[in-house]
């Protein structure tokens, strides 16, 4: 039996919105997914019944908030199959997690060392490494991609060597939906002695993730792409690696003892969580992962794959349409229409109620590789329907005729 998205759409009040008198067709999920009532209820319950600062309080609410926050950490650890919840660091999102890692690895890199990334990376998995290279004298190397938007794995194996200190790789391309063979690439990088960070911003919403099976050292994702609010995310890091690396931000909670002569640092995970965290966000993230787990990430993945295949078939039947990325995609599909600017297309179909994203998708080097300034991207979540995909295709066809 295939999964029926109608059964869950009622959890999302926003999906019943109208735009210009037409039902909203929300296909911008790679930027931000919508939030189900169950998650909104968890946020509301937190502020109505639990709100207090965590960890140091002796009073009832402080203890309740601390317990709820730490239960959320355990829930995230279970979702990721982490060996311990101490490996789950709450961040503000993927960008924050990657910057954290790029900073704590700083002391390990020097002139002659290399950081390896790929052409498919989001700016947030490029710029922190460029900044690290500037600071440390290391150089940035880039795995090229083929014309179908898959990585050139021969080039990867050639680039990987004794100088590679870090491999920072996206699991799924937010621009093209390419699914990288991260487990295989991680294993190769580990054999070469590199630290491995996986940008899972687009993986956690669309695939079951098992960090122990993956074998990387770090994995970062954002709540707001997996049915949770903005401003919360996770950096998972292997305990023995994080234990040996220095802290980054200094402040309350990340310390054991502070004296003017010197400070000792807290144990994991608090060592990397300076200051008051987004307590409600962590609780809401746990609720969002529980909501998604109740459907099952395998089920979500299969449903979304069917939607993207349907979109690829329908769009490729429209005159002048070029699709980017391989046939097997997850989450997102990028396309362009000859002679039509992506921005005009996006603006026109928005008037028909269809929300897609246009532009470079924070992947300017990838766009440059394909000789374009941007694309139009439709990105799906589990609540999208086959009918919505058909609406997308018919609106794109209409808009293309009007714009040509
Ligand atoms: N990496 C990828 C692959 C992404 O899709 C995004 C968000 N578009 C990010 C990183 C950055 O995520 P955030 O803005 O939530 O930090």
């Amino acid at each position: 039996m295939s999964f029926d998205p109608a059964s869950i759409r009622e959890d999302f009040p926003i999906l019943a919105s109208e735009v210009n008198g037409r039902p909203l067709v929300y296909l911008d999920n790679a930027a931000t997914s919508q939030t189900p009532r169950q998650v909104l209820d968890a946020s509301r319950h937190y502020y109505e019944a639990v709100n207090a600062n965590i960890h140091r309080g002796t009073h009832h609410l402080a203890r309740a908030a601390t317990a709820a926050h730490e239960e959320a950490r355990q829930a995230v650890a279970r979702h990721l199959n982490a060996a311990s919840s101490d490996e789950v660091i709450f961040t503000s999102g993927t960008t924050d997690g990657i910057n954290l890692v790029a900073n704590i690895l700083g002391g390990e890199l020097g002139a002659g060392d290399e950081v390896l990334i790929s052409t498919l990376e989001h700016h947030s998995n490029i710029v922190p490494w460029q900044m690290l290279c500037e600071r440390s004298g290391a150089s940035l190397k880039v795995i090229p991609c083929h014309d179908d938007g898959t990585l050139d794995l021969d080039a990867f194996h050639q680039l990987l060597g004794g100088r590679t200190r870090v491999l920072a790789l996206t699991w799924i391309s937010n621009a093209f939906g390419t699914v990288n063979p991260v487990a295989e690439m991680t294993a190769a990088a580990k054999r070469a002695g590199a630290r491995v960070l996986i940008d899972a911003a687009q993986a956690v919403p669309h695939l079951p993730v098992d960090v122990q099976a993956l074998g990387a050292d770090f994995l970062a994702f954002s709540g707001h792409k997996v049915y949770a609010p903005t401003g919360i995310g996770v950096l998972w890091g292997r305990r023995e690696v994080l234990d040996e690396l220095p802290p980054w931000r200094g402040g309350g909670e990340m310390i054991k003892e502070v004296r003017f002569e010197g400070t000792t640092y807290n144990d994991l995970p608090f060592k990397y969580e300076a200051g008051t965290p987004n307590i409600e966000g962590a609780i809401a993230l746990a609720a969002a992962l529980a909501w998604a787990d109740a459907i099952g990430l395998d089920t979500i993945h299969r449903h979304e794959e069917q939607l993207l295949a349907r979109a690829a078939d329908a769009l490729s039947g429209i005159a002048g349409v070029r699709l980017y990325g391989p046939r097997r995609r997850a989450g997102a599909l990028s396309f362009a229409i000859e002679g039509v600017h992506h921005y005009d297309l996006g603006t026109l179909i928005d008037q028909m109620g269809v929300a897609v994203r246009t532009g470079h998708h924070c992947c300017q080097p990838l766009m440059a590789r394909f000789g374009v300034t941007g694309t139009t991207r439709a990105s799906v979540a589990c609540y999208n329907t086959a009918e919505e995909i058909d609406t997308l295709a018919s609106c794109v066809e209409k808009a293309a005729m009007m714009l040509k």
Side-chain angles (χ1 to χ4, degrees), residues 17-372:
S17 310
E18 289 197 344
V19 176
N20 294 319
R22 312 269 193 101
L24 166 69
V25 174
Y26 187 77
L27 294 170
D28 193 20
N29 297 285
T32 288
S33 54
Q34 299 301 344
T35 311
R37 275 185 217 279
Q38 291 83 342
V39 175
L40 302 175
D41 288 349
S43 294
R44 169 171 283 274
H45 175 75
Y46 170 74
Y47 280 116
E48 284 185 350
V50 188
N51 184 33
N53 209 331
I54 55 173
H55 294 312
R56 287 163 302 275
T58 45
H59 60 80
H60 168 77
L61 283 183
R63 280 185 279 119
T66 304
H69 186 256
E70 295 313 308
E71 275 162 29
R73 195 189 306 277
Q74 283 165 18
V76 172
R78 279 194 302 276
H79 183 85
L80 299 175
N81 192 30
S84 157
S85 62
D86 291 351
E87 299 184 331
V88 172
I89 315 293
F90 285 117
T91 63
S92 68
T94 310
T95 306
D96 192 29
I98 297 172
N99 275 278
L100 194 168
V101 175
N103 275 276
I104 61 179
L105 288 181
E108 295 192 342
L109 271 76
D113 290 332
E114 294 174 357
V115 175
L116 188 54
I117 62 169
S118 90
T119 311
L120 294 171
E121 302 311 317
H122 186 281
H123 295 164
S124 65
N125 202 26
I126 300 174
V127 184
W129 303 111
Q130 286 177 321
M131 292 163 74
L132 171 59
C133 287
E134 268 169 33
R135 282 197 305 275
S136 64
S139 21
L140 192 71
K141 300 283 169 185
V142 183
I143 309 162
C145 72
H146 297 296
D147 289 344
D148 70 352
T150 58
L151 289 181
D152 181 340
L153 295 179
D154 291 338
F156 163 65
H157 287 290
Q158 274 162 21
L159 284 164
L160 192 63
R163 290 169 177 248
T164 313
R165 305 305 306 273
V166 181
L167 170 67
L169 181 69
T170 192
W171 190 328
I172 297 176
S173 155
N174 65 303
F176 289 176
T178 311
V179 183
N180 289 324
V182 282
E184 178 193 327
M185 294 174 77
T186 296
K190 297 299 293 177
R191 281 195 299 275
R195 306 265 198 209
V196 179
L197 174 137
I198 300 298
D199 173 352
Q202 298 296 339
V204 170
H206 304 296
L207 295 171
V209 170
D210 179 335
V211 288
Q212 295 190 66
L214 182 61
D217 299 300
F218 312 101
L219 178 138
F221 69 95
S222 303
H224 68 99
K225 296 175 196 290
V226 61
Y227 311 110
T230 51
I232 186 72
V234 166
L235 174 74
W236 167 83
R238 189 176 296 287
R239 182 201 281 277
E240 55 271 28
V241 177
L242 288 181
D243 265 342
E244 121 196 354
L245 287 166
W248 179 29
R249 293 188 177 122
E253 203 52 49
M254 53 76 73
I255 53 89
K256 264 200 181 120
E257 191 179 8
V258 179
R259 296 160 177 254
F260 286 123
E261 296 73 34
T263 289
T264 50
Y265 303 120
N266 209 339
D267 298 326
L268 289 176
F270 311 113
K271 171 180 162 185
Y272 290 109
E273 291 181 353
T276 301
N278 181 353
I279 306 163
E280 165 262 320
I283 292 165
L285 173 60
L289 295 176
W291 180 88
D293 281 337
I295 301 170
L297 265 299
D298 280 318
T299 303
I300 291 175
H301 183 55
R302 268 196 310 277
H303 169 66
E304 293 174 344
E305 246 183 359
Q306 285 169 8
L307 293 178
L308 291 176
R310 189 181 184 100
D313 289 343
L315 291 170
S316 56
I318 300 170
V321 164
R322 171 178 179 185
L323 303 184
Y324 294 91
R327 173 78 190 166
R328 193 188 152 224
R329 299 177 178 86
L333 181 155
S334 256
F335 62 99
I337 305 180
E338 213 188 319
V340 174
H341 196 277
H342 47 80
Y343 182 79
D344 295 336
L345 180 68
T347 306
L348 202 51
I349 66 172
D350 170 60
Q351 287 169 17
M352 304 175 191
V354 180
V356 293
R357 186 143 298 239
T358 65
H360 54 62
H361 317 297
C362 295
C363 294
Q364 283 180 334
L366 179 64
M367 298 296 123
R369 156 69 178 80
F370 283 83
V372 294

